[in-house]
Amino acid sequence: MVEVETTPQIAMLQVRKLERYKDDQGNEIVYDGEVREEKIDIRFKGANNKLVISPEADIKDLLVIFTGNNGQIDIGRTTKRRAGLRFELRCGHESTIRIGENVGCAGRTFISAVEGVSVTIGADVMFAKNIEVRGDDTHPIFDVRSGKRANPSQSIIVGEHVWIAKHAVVMGGATIGNGSVIGFRSIVTKAIPNNCVAVGAPAKVVKRHIAWERPEVVSRLPGEEFPRKGEKSEPYWNLTDDDGGSGVQEKVIVRPQPKKRLASYAPAPVKRLARKLRSS
């Protein structure tokens, strides 16, 4: 079912069924799996947007809003037992959201990529409830002295086998290395290395050289040995690399900003030093 809402500025196309779709504005849904109608809400407010979903993706709850033109969202397959995929995805002009395979969400996770940035979620990520991954702040903030933007949108990369606990937020410019854990109500604002626990606002590393597993402890006997046979995710048992080897396979893309120049009244020695640093 497709609904059309028209405002003085823009027409919005709303699709309530997950199946193959294409309209005369170039918007497209690429999906060859079982047709789904429950908890499906896909909205196109622009042109030439593409939503690509694996036929094996375990979609439980999906709200997608394309707010501009030439956006793309890719959702990978689910081949292992997971909580299912529950997402609210917002994709703006020239922006991209990529979700890897075997991701699970205990509750609906909000992801936003606008202003030409990307959000990448690696394979086997575990989202708890009420998570936000946002490359933007929704509203602009300006420096009143220069008039320049103070909060540009920035890309985000969440590596593989990352556990993000309840009410956590991952902000633009952040990266999280493979195998790490982000604690309850933490706010990630920068690079977090692999195989560590990071907590707080802003999140800081409090424990290194860790690995985590999905099986819950609630039904285990006191003193029972962990992990049981077959539970160990061997590829993600690694030492933390604090020298920048986060295990993330892709560089974060940041919207280019004008280079800051020294004021013309800077002392000559300062100017000479600045030129020397730029040439080195």
Side-chain angles (χ1 to χ4, degrees):
M1 180 174 65
V2 179
E3 301 175 3
V4 180
E5 292 185 12
T6 304
T7 69
Q9 293 81 25
I10 193 167
M12 181 183 75
L13 298 171
Q14 188 171 21
V15 180
R16 295 299 189 106
K17 185 184 294 186
L18 183 54
E19 60 183 353
R20 271 200 173 258
Y21 167 86
K22 194 165 186 178
D23 60 38
D24 57 7
Q25 300 298 311
N27 297 306
E28 185 176 7
I29 299 173
V30 180
Y31 174 73
D32 294 321
E34 179 183 352
V35 176
R36 300 172 185 266
E37 297 186 57
E38 186 177 356
K39 294 186 177 180
I40 298 296
D41 187 350
I42 302 166
R43 307 174 190 180
F44 296 101
K45 294 183 178 180
N48 301 316
N49 297 292
K50 182 180 283 190
L51 172 61
V52 181
I53 302 179
S54 167
E56 298 177 85
D58 185 16
I59 303 293
K60 300 293 188 185
D61 182 0
L62 185 62
L63 169 60
V64 174
I65 304 174
F66 286 99
T67 63
N69 303 326
N70 304 310
Q72 176 145 349
I73 297 175
D74 299 321
I75 300 178
R77 62 181 183 166
T78 310
T79 61
K80 298 180 180 180
R81 185 178 178 181
R82 296 292 182 260
L85 295 166
R86 298 170 172 86
F87 284 112
E88 177 181 347
L89 306 176
R90 180 174 66 190
C91 188
H93 289 288
E94 310 286 342
S95 300
T96 306
I97 297 174
R98 298 185 181 93
I99 298 169
E101 64 181 33
N102 294 315
V103 172
C105 310
R108 184 187 274 187
T109 294
F110 174 73
I111 299 178
S112 179
V114 302
E115 294 190 303
V117 305
S118 66
V119 173
T120 302
I121 308 297
D124 202 44
V125 168
M126 184 168 72
F127 289 111
K129 297 179 179 180
N130 302 318
I131 307 296
E132 295 195 18
V133 183
R134 45 167 62 245
D136 61 278
D137 296 332
T138 303
H139 305 284
I141 299 172
F142 299 94
D143 185 318
V144 296
R145 296 165 297 182
S146 66
K148 294 180 180 179
R149 180 84 170 272
N151 64 335
S153 297
Q154 298 181 71
S155 295
I156 295 171
I157 301 176
V158 177
E160 298 181 4
H161 192 66
V162 171
W163 170 12
I164 302 183
K166 287 182 180 180
H167 307 292
V169 180
V170 183
M171 302 297 294
T175 62
I176 303 175
N178 297 345
S180 285
V181 178
I182 305 301
F184 182 77
R185 288 184 176 170
S186 295
I187 301 178
V188 184
T189 60
K190 60 182 181 180
I192 300 296
N194 66 292
N195 293 88
C196 69
V197 177
V199 300
K204 297 180 180 179
V205 175
V206 295
K207 190 177 290 292
R208 291 168 170 79
H209 314 308
I210 65 95
W212 67 273
E213 301 296 347
R214 285 180 177 270
E216 296 181 349
V217 301
V218 293
S219 61
R220 301 291 175 98
L221 296 170
E224 185 176 347
E225 184 177 352
F226 283 85
R228 289 175 179 168
K229 185 177 180 180
E231 291 180 346
K232 188 174 182 179
S233 52
E234 192 75 42
Y236 301 110
W237 283 59
N238 300 299
L239 297 177
T240 300
D241 184 351
D242 286 305
D243 295 326
S246 66
V248 173
Q249 302 299 316
E250 185 176 345
K251 291 183 179 180
V252 172
I253 301 171
V254 180
R255 294 177 67 243
Q257 297 297 302
K259 292 183 179 180
K260 295 182 179 180
R261 298 181 179 273
L262 285 173
S264 59
Y265 54 79
V270 175
K271 290 182 179 181
R272 286 196 296 272
L273 177 59
R275 286 196 293 269
K276 183 178 180 181
L277 289 174
R278 284 198 296 269
S279 63
S280 61

